[in-house]
Amino acid sequence: MDPASYRISEKAVERVAEVAVLTVPGVREIDAKLAGLAGRSFPRVDAQIDRPASSVILDVEIVSSYPAPVGAITDEIRQTVGSHVETLTGLAVQKVNIVVADAEATALGDRVTRNDLLRHPTDIAPTAIRVTRSEVASPVVQPPMKLAEIDVDDSLYRNLQPVHTPAPMQIKHVTAPLPPRPRTVEAPAPQHVIHVDTPEPARPVSPERPEPAPLRAVSIARPTRPRPVSTPAPAPLKQITVNQFAPRVPVERPAPQPLRLIEVTRPSQLAPVSLPAQKPLAQIEVARLGHVDVVKPMPEPLRAISVPPLNVVEPHVPPQRPLAPVIIEAEFAADDALELPLSENTAQTVRIRPSDDNKEV
């Protein structure tokens, strides 16, 4: 498959790698929703695609089961992920970095061994699709049932009276009068336009300014004398008692000091500073170092290492035998009871009462 004929995203490659990681025995799947508020989902895959080289680098984080051979699990993950990604996407897997973030304990029977990893197929194993033949059943039609007879009361129909509809009215045809004929109207001959001579416009006449009239003498009447106004007598003043003021304290004012004459010396003259003339910068020649070609060695192909299967000795636990019944024989009165300790280290006791025959308990 040519990768140049299509474009695959990093998310699609990450999803293919996650499914491939979950097929390896010893890898636990953890959902972020079930892990809590600060939980993370595992496995996590981060893909970096180099499109010109048609290769990909994968960073994988897993949670392994415990106890389990972690090194063998990581080797199996590299082979499985590389095979699945190259087969399904057409990209060459350049490197697979694996980080074991955590380990979870499993039950005794679910322990992952090296034999389980050796039996695990690294390539994609096609799953056969089994299709069961569907049985076609013809529909079963039930025999028709006899309808029950319905008794109808005829008294309702007997009381019904026929409805007489009147005969339709005859429509008379109306003859419309003929429309009046239009009459011809004689238009009078057009009258000739008579030209009227308009008189010349009158010239504007400048208005004459009247002479100013002499001023008239204005007689001013004498002012009337003011009338006396009667004002009410003023109310007597109220006597106001004022508290005696506190005795005055004399304030000593210091005598003003005479001003001092401040003599200012003549400012010193600044001497000019002579700077040397700037010299031109000298040119510095730097010898350029030669490039050294670095030859990158070709990576050696991975060698297949055959590991002989290990004989794992599983411990055999003998079958548990049923406990033999313990019969305690004691003779005591019907009103008494026997107290027996459960064990030597505990203070708990069992209280036994006698049965009806007062022999076996």
Side-chain angles (χ1 to χ4, degrees), residues 10-350:
E10 285 82 357
K11 187 175 182 181
V13 178
E14 292 170 0
R15 183 55 182 164
V16 171
E18 287 179 4
V19 176
V21 171
L22 290 176
T23 60
V24 179
V27 178
R28 304 298 300 273
E29 182 180 7
I30 298 177
D31 192 0
K33 296 180 181 179
L34 301 178
L37 295 176
R40 300 175 61 189
S41 59
F42 291 97
R44 300 173 63 90
V45 180
D46 186 12
Q48 300 177 5
I49 299 177
D50 187 3
R51 302 191 184 279
S54 299
S55 61
V56 62
I57 298 176
L58 300 173
D59 297 332
V60 184
E61 295 185 22
I62 64 169
V63 173
S64 66
S65 59
Y66 178 83
V70 180
I73 291 175
T74 56
D75 294 340
E76 192 69 20
I77 289 174
R78 286 190 178 92
Q79 297 180 8
T80 304
V81 170
S83 177
H84 284 217
V85 172
E86 290 180 0
T87 303
L88 297 178
T89 63
L91 299 174
V93 179
Q94 186 177 357
K95 186 185 293 184
V96 179
N97 302 323
I98 302 176
V99 177
V100 181
D102 197 359
E104 288 190 355
T106 57
L108 183 60
D110 298 338
R111 181 177 179 178
V112 178
T113 61
R114 294 183 181 269
N115 295 333
D116 298 336
L117 297 174
L118 292 175
R119 290 192 295 266
H120 173 258
T122 57
D123 299 333
I124 299 177
T127 305
I129 301 175
R130 297 181 181 180
V131 181
T132 58
R133 181 178 296 179
S134 59
E135 297 180 357
V136 180
S138 58
V140 179
V141 181
Q142 296 181 359
M145 299 176 61
K146 186 178 180 181
L147 300 177
E149 297 180 358
I150 300 174
D151 296 334
V152 180
D153 190 4
D154 298 340
S155 60
L156 298 176
Y157 296 98
R158 293 175 184 175
N159 297 331
L160 295 178
Q161 297 179 0
V163 179
H164 299 281
T165 56
M169 299 175 61
Q170 295 180 0
I171 300 173
K172 296 180 180 180
H173 296 282
V174 178
T175 57
L178 296 175
R181 294 180 180 181
R183 299 178 181 178
T184 56
V185 179
E186 295 179 358
Q191 297 179 1
H192 296 283
V193 178
I194 301 172
H195 296 281
V196 179
D197 297 333
T198 56
E200 294 182 359
R203 294 180 180 180
V205 180
S206 58
E208 296 179 356
R209 182 178 181 183
E211 296 180 358
L215 298 177
R216 293 179 299 174
V218 180
S219 61
I220 300 173
R222 294 181 179 180
T224 57
R225 294 181 180 180
R227 297 179 182 180
V229 179
S230 59
T231 57
L237 298 178
K238 297 181 180 179
Q239 185 178 1
I240 300 174
T241 59
V242 180
N243 297 329
Q244 294 182 358
F245 295 98
R248 297 181 179 180
V249 178
V251 178
E252 296 181 358
R253 183 179 180 182
Q257 297 180 1
L259 298 177
R260 292 180 299 173
L261 180 62
I262 300 174
E263 297 181 358
V264 179
T265 59
R266 191 173 184 180
S268 60
Q269 296 180 357
L270 298 177
V273 179
S274 61
L275 297 176
Q278 295 183 358
K279 297 180 179 180
L281 297 177
Q283 186 176 3
I284 301 173
E285 296 181 359
V286 179
R288 191 172 183 179
L289 300 178
H291 293 283
V292 179
D293 296 333
V294 179
V295 180
K296 182 179 180 182
M298 296 295 293
E300 298 181 359
L302 300 177
R303 294 177 299 172
I305 301 174
S306 61
V307 180
L310 300 177
N311 296 326
V312 180
V313 180
E314 298 181 358
H316 296 282
V317 181
Q320 297 182 359
R321 299 178 181 178
L323 299 177
V326 179
I327 301 175
I328 302 175
E329 297 181 358
E331 294 182 0
F332 46 85
D335 297 336
D336 297 339
L338 180 62
E339 293 184 357
L340 298 177
L342 290 177
S343 62
E344 296 179 357
N345 298 328
T346 59
Q348 298 180 357
T349 58
V350 178

